[in-house]
Amino acid sequence: MCRWIAYSGTPVLLSRVLFEPRHNLIDQSLHSRMGVETTNGDGFGIGWYAQELTTPAVLRDVGPAWNNRNLQEVAHHVRSGQFFAHIRATTGTAVQQTNCHPFRRDRWLWMHNGMINEFHQLRRDLALAVDPALYPEMEGSTDSELMFYLSLTFGLTEDPPGAVARMVGLVEETARRHGVPHPVQMTVALADGDRLWAFRYSSEGSSRSLFYSTRVDSLRALHPDAEFLQEVGEETRLVVSEPLGDLPGAWNEVPESSYGLVQPGQDMLHPFQPQLPHP
Amino acid sequence: MCRWIAYSGTPVLLSRVLFEPRHNLIDQSLHSRMGVETTNGDGFGIGWYAQELTTPAVLRDVGPAWNNRNLQEVAHHVRSGQFFAHIRATTGTAVQQTNCHPFRRDRWLWMHNGMINEFHQLRRDLALAVDPALYPEMEGSTDSELMFYLSLTFGLTEDPPGAVARMVGLVEETARRHGVPHPVQMTVALADGDRLWAFRYSSEGSSRSLFYSTRVDSLRALHPDAEFLQEVGEETRLVVSEPLGDLPGAWNEVPESSYGLVQPGQDMLHPFQPQLPHP
Amino acid sequence: MCRWIAYSGTPVLLSRVLFEPRHNLIDQSLHSRMGVETTNGDGFGIGWYAQELTTPAVLRDVGPAWNNRNLQEVAHHVRSGQFFAHIRATTGTAVQQTNCHPFRRDRWLWMHNGMINEFHQLRRDLALAVDPALYPEMEGSTDSELMFYLSLTFGLTEDPPGAVARMVGLVEETARRHGVPHPVQMTVALADGDRLWAFRYSSEGSSRSLFYSTRVDSLRALHPDAEFLQEVGEETRLVVSEPLGDLPGAWNEVPESSYGLVQPGQDMLHPFQPQLPHP
Amino acid sequence: MCRWIAYSGTPVLLSRVLFEPRHNLIDQSLHSRMGVETTNGDGFGIGWYAQELTTPAVLRDVGPAWNNRNLQEVAHHVRSGQFFAHIRATTGTAVQQTNCHPFRRDRWLWMHNGMINEFHQLRRDLALAVDPALYPEMEGSTDSELMFYLSLTFGLTEDPPGAVARMVGLVEETARRHGVPHPVQMTVALADGDRLWAFRYSSEGSSRSLFYSTRVDSLRALHPDAEFLQEVGEETRLVVSEPLGDLPGAWNEVPESSYGLVQPGQDMLHPFQPQLPHP
């Protein structure tokens, strides 16, 4: 469906993460190894937090990432300590900028890989559950954006994991009423400039791949010659749909039905369970 | 806001109508004389009925019409007896293909110039009024597309003028509840391959410009040397946001709060009045 | 590098050839079986001859063919008796409309799969060999367009096979002077609305794949139930980079270093040999 | 034809200069007051120098600047102490990224407003004068890019004003041979990250408009309340096709046939005179 990369840590040029690794964003857009589709060429987006600015920047376009010069330019000239990148393979919705990830509201970024099963059938009921004050801000037609706005409706800015759990609960409940099986398939990244959450879940218990990088200090011990590891601090962490390279010991699978939190200090890994939103 | 041209009559190359007249589509996109905005550069679209095919073709793109080569190519190589052209000046919604006119469903084409006032506020309530079976087919974020789907909900394919009247009635009623003044501003073209309807209406009684061409036989008497008039049959008629040229006697204003019907045989002009949709 | 399809015969909707076969243009753009690259997503183009018009139409765009709606629209609504389709995988030059195939001059269409080796080194010398009267009309930066203009310079409109032979001769001679090995790798399609030429050649004698379809009458005898074969006349012929399906007996390889001519009456297959252009 | 803005001075968010002034880039793209065309909607570009990186970044796209979200995003999130912005109105060449300004080579940025008269006729001769080692790097089809490469050929990186003078001399000499009158019409901005040159010249002595901003210390005395003037240092200078606002005393016309140099320390204004390049 899609592939994504989330970075949090020492400010670096985006290109260090997006283009320099062997199995990088471009390689994944042409030859995904673990995705449902091998080609992710239906648009892309990056979002990054710039120092001292409260809202992140978002650059999105409808062509493939692999031949986009503006993406190369920005990635080779902008540094950031927290950024997202996403390459899209549409499951049917239009190829347009407003359907490209990441989605932003205020200081929040959201990106998604997966799908709501039979979204066509469920779309109206789910849209009605969005806070009427937020409804008019939805610009695209994807399940991914709607999942973001449902999560915002259910308290994302106060309690991100709880809001996502309630969003998933609502989608599953709505699907049940419509007789739609296996409604949710998702890996989601969420950030606010300081913290980064990553969720892996699917109703059927067989979720899209998701990996997080090993602690930098442990990796340095294993690979004392890896240049990139010398440049970044110990707080640096990546969460990715697919490993960016073959460095032994560098990548760990996020378990089924769980979510991680990357933050200053101790990172966390917790189980994830859908909840029914309060009636 | 936007400008549009609707043609019905003898099959001609689209370019004869879209590019050859003096004040043509390109001129209007750069230098509209009667529009609210002089520049209409936020996307364009054409729709045409091809012989023996039940659904019309639609070509839409997000750049300006004036520099689009594909538009030139198609217009200079495709003939049609009924076609639409539209140039867009966005009132805020995204510049994307799914927001470009004309909109199509089955054999129906719809295009619009104008706006729903404070659409942001009304969008959700209006979207909820769309037939749930039609709701998932809306792909864009414009008031124009939503007006089309509301009209479809209210019986467009059976009774076009009645359905449009009910759509306007609903928008005005919804606006009243939200305290939004002057809710509807519109000229709309609608076609099914045989017939062409054109509506001019605004809640405030001060609608965007709309003109229809004089009967071909009368025009020929006035301008026996006009080459184009010799080529097309008597059933040929144009409805346009702005006159395409300065031929004396060629253009007649569609009166406020009225609609016209162009069809095989006698064309019609009727008053238009909003109705409340059946509860 | 690229993939292409050329059709000549009974006028049909373009979609019958481009989208309906099993291994169609979209499938080839995502999963080419015989190409050097499996993904051909760096732009596409179609060119078609419309009845009674002297110059063919060309529709080209920079995104992938697989998600382009305008391509679908035109292909499903336009009929033609001679048309080209091309999907591009760039070998380095910019992804822009003027680098998309087919290229057109007057009534001629040209498309190419392959490359001039080390084109960067040879480009200037080759450009200087283009007729100064034609030079300013080159708009893009590809080897393919330059090969077309060189062929035009060497008499394409009078003697297509001879002009292409002289073009290849010049490229090979220029490469020899620069010490560039294996300079030409090409399959080329050329048409003028009546006739269609297809060339297969490479300096190293190991050319990109190219196939032509079996005579319709023979195929009908083999496959009496194939619907498409009942609809088209005996003059119908396809030349393609890759077979469009698995119909046994339908596809024949164009031999190395040869060219075919599809025309009213007897088609031809001849050897192809580069020539030095007259000094 | 086009409009441009060049900034040099205290690092600021690009949006401070490009979007906040009253007669800003967007306003100029829709309603140029001094340009030959009022609409500049055929693509745009920005180039900026990022701290500690040797080559500037370039973001270019083919749509109008006024509705481009990526331009807004980058301008509102990137700071730079030297940057260019350009909006294009094509004089005939294709609307494509490689024809958008600014053009870059290594650490140099170049942008142009104006035209070479009858460029179609002169293009080949001028292209042949480009250093063969540079020739293959030209990607677009504009006179503007060719003027940059001619200047590079004539020593731009060593002696910018001399190289530009020789470029203009060559164009005028070439035009003379072809019988083309008034060959050069130009305002050009050139930068290397430290210095900024701006040229105003036309063969007929009637050049496109060009202005430079008054010294910051003088302006502060005149307008002690102007917020922007408090934020930037005394080395800050703008050179623009049209004044960005109506601040009295802020803008000074660059004289006909002259060029300015903005640099650390004393800025300069000199006469500009074409030279014949050494044979």
Side-chain angles (χ1 to χ4, degrees):
Chain A
M1 313 280 157
C2 308
R3 303 280 83 185
W4 58 254
I5 293 170
Y7 176 92
S8 191
T10 304
V12 293
L13 279 181
L14 275 52
S15 56
R16 295 301 306 272
V17 171
L18 303 187
F19 298 128
E20 292 183 15
R22 182 174 313 185
H23 187 46
N24 62 29
L25 195 73
I26 296 308
D27 191 44
Q28 291 188 24
S29 70
L30 281 164
H31 311 290
S32 166
R33 299 172 190 176
M34 297 179 166
V36 174
E37 297 286 347
T38 53
T39 306
N40 293 277
D42 299 322
F44 70 88
I46 57 175
W48 72 92
Y49 293 87
Q51 241 176 339
E52 303 171 357
L53 293 174
T54 49
T55 57
V58 172
L59 183 93
R60 304 186 292 183
D61 215 334
V62 296
W66 65 73
N67 67 27
N68 193 283
R69 295 190 176 189
N70 289 335
L71 173 60
Q72 292 281 348
E73 291 291 322
V74 168
H76 282 94
H77 291 88
V78 166
R79 287 174 197 281
S80 172
Q82 191 166 81
F83 57 89
F84 281 13
H86 186 277
I87 48 177
R88 186 169 181 240
T90 178
T91 52
T93 47
V95 176
Q96 58 194 23
Q97 213 173 15
T98 57
N99 284 350
C100 291
H101 309 224
F103 300 96
R104 174 186 59 199
R105 186 177 157 78
D106 298 338
R107 58 185 296 109
W108 296 85
L109 285 179
W110 170 280
M111 62 182 170
H112 168 231
N113 168 31
M115 60 182 298
I116 293 179
N117 195 19
E118 303 288 342
F119 178 55
H120 204 73
Q121 274 186 61
L122 309 183
R123 185 179 166 201
R124 182 175 181 270
D125 282 4
L126 296 176
L128 299 200
V130 171
D131 180 346
L134 294 172
Y135 182 94
E137 298 185 22
M138 289 189 292
E139 289 196 285
S141 53
T142 58
D143 47 3
S144 306
E145 185 191 29
L146 190 44
M147 290 161 75
F148 181 32
Y149 276 84
L150 286 170
S151 302
L152 286 162
T153 298
F154 297 142
L156 183 82
T157 61
E158 300 302 313
D159 171 18
V164 173
R166 288 184 285 275
M167 175 274 287
V168 173
L170 178 84
V171 176
E172 293 189 335
E173 169 58 24
T174 305
R176 198 149 32 232
R177 280 192 285 109
H178 285 265
V180 169
H182 306 321
V184 174
Q185 174 60 261
M186 74 177 203
T187 68
V188 162
L190 173 71
D192 70 354
D194 292 317
R195 294 163 298 170
L196 161 66
W197 292 261
F199 301 83
R200 183 177 185 221
Y201 176 78
S202 58
S203 307
E204 55 186 309
S206 172
S207 302
R208 299 279 183 273
S209 60
L210 192 64
F211 296 84
Y212 63 96
S213 61
T214 301
R215 285 174 55 98
V216 167
D217 51 1
S218 311
L219 269 179
R220 276 190 202 135
L222 281 170
H223 304 283
D225 298 337
E227 185 195 354
F228 184 76
L229 295 172
Q230 302 306 323
E231 290 176 33
V232 297
E234 312 232 329
E235 293 279 2
T236 297
R237 183 86 73 177
L238 280 154
V239 188
V240 298
S241 297
E242 301 187 13
L244 302 183
D246 304 319
L247 200 64
W251 301 102
N252 316 277
E253 196 172 29
V254 175
E256 271 286 346
S257 302
S258 60
Y259 76 92
L261 167 58
V262 178
Q263 60 184 348
Q266 181 67 44
D267 296 341
M268 312 265 201
L269 193 57
H270 294 289
F272 175 82
Q273 197 171 341
Q275 296 170 24
L276 270 189
H278 310 300
Chain B
M1 314 283 157
C2 308
R3 303 279 84 185
W4 57 254
I5 292 170
Y7 176 92
S8 190
T10 304
V12 294
L13 278 181
L14 275 52
S15 57
R16 295 302 305 272
V17 171
L18 303 187
F19 298 128
E20 293 183 14
R22 183 175 313 185
H23 187 47
N24 60 28
L25 194 73
I26 296 308
D27 190 44
Q28 292 187 25
S29 70
L30 280 164
H31 311 290
S32 166
R33 299 172 189 176
M34 298 181 166
V36 173
E37 297 285 347
T38 54
T39 307
N40 293 277
D42 299 322
F44 70 87
I46 56 174
W48 73 90
Y49 292 87
Q51 243 176 337
E52 303 172 355
L53 294 173
T54 49
T55 57
V58 172
L59 183 92
R60 304 187 291 182
D61 215 335
V62 296
W66 66 72
N67 67 28
N68 193 283
R69 296 189 175 189
N70 289 335
L71 172 60
Q72 292 281 347
E73 292 291 321
V74 168
H76 282 93
H77 291 89
V78 166
R79 287 174 197 280
S80 172
Q82 192 166 81
F83 57 90
F84 281 12
H86 186 277
I87 48 179
R88 185 167 182 242
T90 177
T91 53
T93 46
V95 176
Q96 58 193 23
Q97 212 173 15
T98 57
N99 284 351
C100 292
H101 309 225
F103 300 97
R104 175 185 58 200
R105 186 177 155 80
D106 296 339
R107 57 185 298 108
W108 296 86
L109 284 179
W110 171 278
M111 62 181 170
H112 169 232
N113 168 30
M115 59 181 300
I116 293 178
N117 195 18
E118 303 289 343
F119 178 55
H120 203 73
Q121 274 187 61
L122 310 182
R123 185 179 166 201
R124 183 176 181 270
D125 281 4
L126 296 176
L128 299 201
V130 171
D131 180 345
L134 293 172
Y135 182 95
E137 298 184 21
M138 290 190 291
E139 288 196 287
S141 54
T142 60
D143 47 6
S144 306
E145 185 191 30
L146 190 43
M147 290 162 76
F148 181 33
Y149 276 85
L150 286 170
S151 302
L152 286 162
T153 299
F154 297 143
L156 183 81
T157 60
E158 300 301 313
D159 170 19
V164 174
R166 288 184 284 276
M167 176 273 288
V168 173
L170 177 83
V171 175
E172 293 189 335
E173 170 58 24
T174 306
R176 198 149 31 232
R177 281 193 285 110
H178 285 265
V180 170
H182 305 322
V184 174
Q185 174 60 260
M186 74 177 204
T187 67
V188 162
L190 174 70
D192 70 354
D194 292 317
R195 293 164 299 169
L196 161 65
W197 293 261
F199 301 84
R200 183 175 185 222
Y201 175 79
S202 58
S203 306
E204 55 186 311
S206 173
S207 302
R208 299 279 184 273
S209 60
L210 193 64
F211 296 84
Y212 64 96
S213 61
T214 301
R215 285 173 55 96
V216 168
D217 50 1
S218 311
L219 269 178
R220 277 191 202 132
L222 281 169
H223 304 284
D225 298 337
E227 185 195 354
F228 185 76
L229 296 172
Q230 302 305 324
E231 290 175 34
V232 297
E234 311 232 329
E235 293 278 3
T236 296
R237 184 85 75 177
L238 279 154
V239 188
V240 297
S241 296
E242 302 187 14
L244 302 184
D246 305 319
L247 200 66
W251 301 103
N252 317 276
E253 198 173 28
V254 175
E256 272 285 348
S257 301
S258 59
Y259 75 91
L261 168 57
V262 177
Q263 60 185 348
Q266 182 65 44
D267 295 342
M268 312 264 202
L269 193 57
H270 294 288
F272 175 83
Q273 198 173 339
Q275 297 169 25
L276 269 189
H278 311 300
Chain C
M1 316 283 155
C2 307
R3 304 279 83 185
W4 57 255
I5 293 171
Y7 176 93
S8 190
T10 304
V12 293
L13 279 181
L14 274 52
S15 56
R16 295 302 305 273
V17 171
L18 303 187
F19 297 129
E20 292 183 14
R22 183 174 312 183
H23 186 48
N24 61 29
L25 194 73
I26 297 308
D27 190 44
Q28 292 187 24
S29 69
L30 281 163
H31 311 289
S32 166
R33 299 172 189 175
M34 296 179 168
V36 174
E37 296 287 345
T38 54
T39 306
N40 293 278
D42 299 322
F44 70 89
I46 56 175
W48 73 92
Y49 293 87
Q51 241 176 339
E52 303 171 356
L53 293 173
T54 49
T55 57
V58 172
L59 183 93
R60 303 186 292 182
D61 216 335
V62 295
W66 65 75
N67 67 27
N68 193 284
R69 294 189 176 189
N70 289 335
L71 173 60
Q72 291 280 347
E73 292 290 322
V74 168
H76 283 93
H77 291 88
V78 166
R79 287 175 197 280
S80 173
Q82 192 167 82
F83 57 89
F84 281 12
H86 186 277
I87 48 177
R88 186 168 181 241
T90 177
T91 52
T93 47
V95 176
Q96 58 193 23
Q97 213 173 14
T98 57
N99 284 351
C100 292
H101 309 223
F103 300 97
R104 175 186 59 200
R105 185 176 158 81
D106 297 338
R107 57 184 300 109
W108 297 85
L109 286 179
W110 170 279
M111 61 182 172
H112 168 232
N113 168 31
M115 61 183 297
I116 292 179
N117 195 20
E118 303 288 343
F119 178 54
H120 203 74
Q121 274 187 61
L122 310 183
R123 186 180 165 200
R124 183 174 181 272
D125 282 4
L126 296 176
L128 299 201
V130 171
D131 180 348
L134 294 172
Y135 181 95
E137 298 186 20
M138 290 190 291
E139 288 196 286
S141 53
T142 59
D143 47 4
S144 306
E145 185 191 29
L146 190 44
M147 289 160 77
F148 181 33
Y149 275 85
L150 286 170
S151 301
L152 285 162
T153 299
F154 297 142
L156 183 81
T157 61
E158 300 302 312
D159 170 18
V164 173
R166 288 184 284 275
M167 176 274 288
V168 173
L170 178 83
V171 176
E172 293 188 336
E173 170 58 25
T174 305
R176 198 149 31 231
R177 279 192 286 109
H178 285 264
V180 170
H182 305 321
V184 174
Q185 174 60 262
M186 75 177 202
T187 67
V188 161
L190 172 71
D192 70 353
D194 292 316
R195 294 163 298 169
L196 161 66
W197 293 260
F199 301 84
R200 185 176 184 221
Y201 176 79
S202 58
S203 307
E204 54 187 310
S206 172
S207 302
R208 300 278 184 273
S209 60
L210 191 65
F211 297 83
Y212 64 97
S213 61
T214 301
R215 284 173 56 96
V216 168
D217 51 1
S218 311
L219 269 179
R220 276 190 203 135
L222 280 170
H223 305 283
D225 298 336
E227 186 195 353
F228 185 77
L229 296 173
Q230 302 306 322
E231 291 176 32
V232 298
E234 312 232 329
E235 293 278 3
T236 297
R237 183 85 73 176
L238 280 153
V239 188
V240 297
S241 297
E242 301 187 13
L244 302 184
D246 304 318
L247 200 65
W251 300 103
N252 317 277
E253 197 172 28
V254 175
E256 271 287 346
S257 301
S258 59
Y259 75 94
L261 167 58
V262 177
Q263 61 184 347
Q266 182 66 43
D267 296 341
M268 313 262 202
L269 193 57
H270 294 288
F272 175 83
Q273 197 173 340
Q275 297 170 23
L276 268 190
H278 311 299
Chain D
M1 315 283 156
C2 309
R3 303 280 82 184
W4 57 255
I5 292 169
Y7 176 93
S8 190
T10 305
V12 293
L13 278 181
L14 275 52
S15 56
R16 296 301 305 272
V17 171
L18 303 187
F19 297 128
E20 292 183 15
R22 183 173 313 183
H23 188 47
N24 60 29
L25 194 74
I26 297 307
D27 191 44
Q28 291 187 24
S29 70
L30 281 164
H31 312 290
S32 166
R33 299 171 189 177
M34 298 179 166
V36 174
E37 297 286 347
T38 54
T39 307
N40 293 278
D42 299 322
F44 70 88
I46 56 174
W48 73 90
Y49 293 87
Q51 242 175 338
E52 303 171 358
L53 294 173
T54 49
T55 58
V58 171
L59 183 92
R60 303 186 292 182
D61 215 335
V62 295
W66 66 74
N67 67 27
N68 193 283
R69 295 189 176 190
N70 290 335
L71 172 60
Q72 292 281 347
E73 292 291 321
V74 168
H76 282 93
H77 291 89
V78 166
R79 287 174 198 281
S80 172
Q82 191 166 83
F83 57 90
F84 281 12
H86 187 277
I87 49 177
R88 186 169 182 241
T90 177
T91 53
T93 47
V95 176
Q96 58 193 24
Q97 214 173 14
T98 56
N99 284 351
C100 291
H101 309 224
F103 300 96
R104 175 186 58 201
R105 186 176 156 80
D106 296 339
R107 58 185 297 109
W108 296 85
L109 284 179
W110 171 279
M111 62 182 171
H112 168 233
N113 168 31
M115 59 184 297
I116 293 179
N117 195 19
E118 303 289 343
F119 177 55
H120 203 73
Q121 275 187 60
L122 310 183
R123 185 179 168 201
R124 183 175 181 271
D125 282 4
L126 296 175
L128 299 202
V130 171
D131 180 345
L134 294 172
Y135 181 94
E137 298 185 22
M138 291 190 291
E139 288 196 286
S141 54
T142 60
D143 47 6
S144 306
E145 185 192 29
L146 190 44
M147 289 161 75
F148 181 33
Y149 275 85
L150 286 170
S151 301
L152 285 162
T153 298
F154 297 142
L156 183 81
T157 61
E158 300 302 312
D159 170 18
V164 174
R166 288 184 284 275
M167 176 273 288
V168 173
L170 177 83
V171 176
E172 292 188 336
E173 169 58 24
T174 305
R176 199 151 30 233
R177 280 192 285 109
H178 285 264
V180 170
H182 305 321
V184 174
Q185 173 60 262
M186 76 175 203
T187 68
V188 161
L190 173 70
D192 71 353
D194 292 317
R195 293 163 299 168
L196 161 66
W197 294 260
F199 301 84
R200 184 175 185 222
Y201 176 78
S202 58
S203 307
E204 55 187 310
S206 172
S207 302
R208 299 278 184 273
S209 60
L210 193 64
F211 297 84
Y212 64 96
S213 61
T214 301
R215 284 174 55 97
V216 168
D217 51 0
S218 312
L219 268 179
R220 276 191 203 134
L222 280 170
H223 304 283
D225 298 337
E227 186 195 353
F228 185 76
L229 296 173
Q230 302 306 323
E231 289 175 35
V232 297
E234 312 231 329
E235 294 278 3
T236 297
R237 185 85 73 176
L238 279 153
V239 187
V240 297
S241 297
E242 302 187 14
L244 301 184
D246 304 320
L247 201 64
W251 301 103
N252 316 277
E253 197 173 29
V254 175
E256 271 286 346
S257 301
S258 59
Y259 76 92
L261 168 58
V262 178
Q263 60 184 347
Q266 182 66 44
D267 295 342
M268 313 264 202
L269 193 58
H270 295 288
F272 176 83
Q273 198 173 338
Q275 296 170 26
L276 269 190
H278 311 299

